[in-house]
Amino acid sequence: MSAATGEYPVPVSPPYPAASKDVELRRAMTASARSAAYSSAPVVFEDEWLAVVDKPAGVYCDALLSALPCSAATLGDEATKPNLHLANRLDRDTSGLMVITKCNKVAGKLVKVFTEHKVKKTYLALCIGYPPAWEKIKICSGHGRSKHGAWRVYAMSDVGRSLPGGSVVRDMSTRFEVLGINGKGQFREPSNFEVDETESITVQEKAADLTSDGDEKNSIILVRAYPQSGRTHQIRLHCQYLGFPIRGDVKYSGVIEWNGVDYDGHALHAESLSFVHPVTGLPVTFRSPLPSWANEFISTMA
């Protein structure tokens, strides 16, 4: 529709809750202090061209550049120091794998690989909500900013339409598999969704208004996400839309207090990365150690 008439597409996910503003401000201030003091990033892999590091939750990505504990990054004169770049980014409260390149040429190659979605990624998320009836699913929707700047889910039929501020609705797609619900399930290695038959959802309207007389809406669900695109807050938005927002994700309907504990961030972890090395041409796969909340849930699974 014409922007002049104000007929922009209507998002199908809810706006940020009023309480999120104060919570997000407090978390941002805490993360700024943590990031300023952050001094040593755990290195999962390193060679002369790049390093793969394990970002903790509650730390901004840019803090990793000065916290890379490799001799090339911290020693030597300015002429021999590498030019460090972040090849990918994670949300402030998301933990897990990030890639840091050491020269402009490699940075350009690897950023291109990420932006063209040629990197296979998996994430783990601990969610509180309605238990899904499916084991595996693919969800496709639109993605964009609403008039107040919030990221929202849009119908697939709105992809390409103009949004306030001059942007447009873009497509996003995520595959999910359920690993456990309320302590029942089995943790397993990532699946090959390219060969698995998977139920598919194409978002065209607002999510169903789920209601329950019991405790179903308070189920604890561990899911693995396989993002097929790289949109901002993609997994968080799709979890919200599917009825099980990520624990602690105040922006997207997640509970911040659970069983008497207040959480200072969301339970989302970048578990693995697979791509072709930009210099050697060899396929590489990296895995991050599981965060404590994942290990705690897995330990309860029967």
Side-chain angles (χ1 to χ4, degrees), residues 147-171:
K147 65 180 180 179
H148 299 298
W151 294 107
R152 309 279 287 278
V153 176
Y154 287 83
M156 274 296 290
S157 56
D158 287 329
V159 171
R161 293 182 61 189
S162 297
L163 290 169
S167 62
V168 298
V169 178
R170 304 174 72 184
D171 66 294

Side-chain angles (χ1 to χ4, degrees), residues 8-32:
Y8 293 112
V10 177
V12 297
S13 62
Y16 297 159
S20 68
K21 185 176 181 179
D22 289 341
V23 173
E24 281 294 305
L25 178 60
R26 183 174 69 250
R27 289 179 177 178
M29 293 176 65
T30 301
S32 293

Side-chain angles (χ1 to χ4, degrees), residues 167-298:
S167 62
V168 298
V169 178
R170 304 174 72 184
D171 66 294
M172 67 174 173
S173 173
T174 312
R175 298 177 190 263
F176 287 97
E177 65 174 335
V178 176
L179 299 176
I181 300 176
N182 295 329
K184 296 180 179 180
Q186 183 176 11
F187 188 80
R188 53 189 177 271
E189 293 299 303
S191 302
N192 184 356
F193 269 105
E194 293 179 359
V195 298
D196 287 341
E197 292 186 4
T198 307
E199 182 181 348
S200 183
I201 293 177
T202 299
V203 173
Q204 298 293 3
E205 58 188 13
K206 288 187 176 181
D209 184 14
L210 299 172
T211 57
S212 173
D213 295 330
D215 295 328
E216 274 197 325
K217 66 180 180 180
N218 291 324
S219 294
I220 308 174
I221 306 151
L222 181 66
V223 297
R224 177 178 282 125
Y226 303 73
Q228 309 297 291
S229 49
R231 310 303 180 206
T232 303
H233 300 175
Q234 172 173 326
I235 296 169
R236 298 164 62 186
L237 282 162
H238 274 164
C239 285
Q240 178 192 38
Y241 183 87
L242 291 169
F244 47 83
I246 297 172
R247 189 192 70 186
D249 194 358
V250 63
K251 276 189 175 181
Y252 301 114
S253 308
V255 297
I256 57 174
E257 187 277 330
W258 184 251
N259 288 341
V261 178
D262 287 320
Y263 293 97
D264 60 358
H266 56 246
L268 180 62
H269 180 69
E271 175 192 31
S272 73
L273 290 172
S274 298
F275 54 89
V276 174
H277 194 288
V279 177
T280 68
L282 298 174
V284 291
T285 296
F286 305 106
R287 296 288 295 271
S288 169
L290 296 178
S292 59
W293 51 260
N295 280 319
E296 288 169 6
F297 182 88
I298 292 167

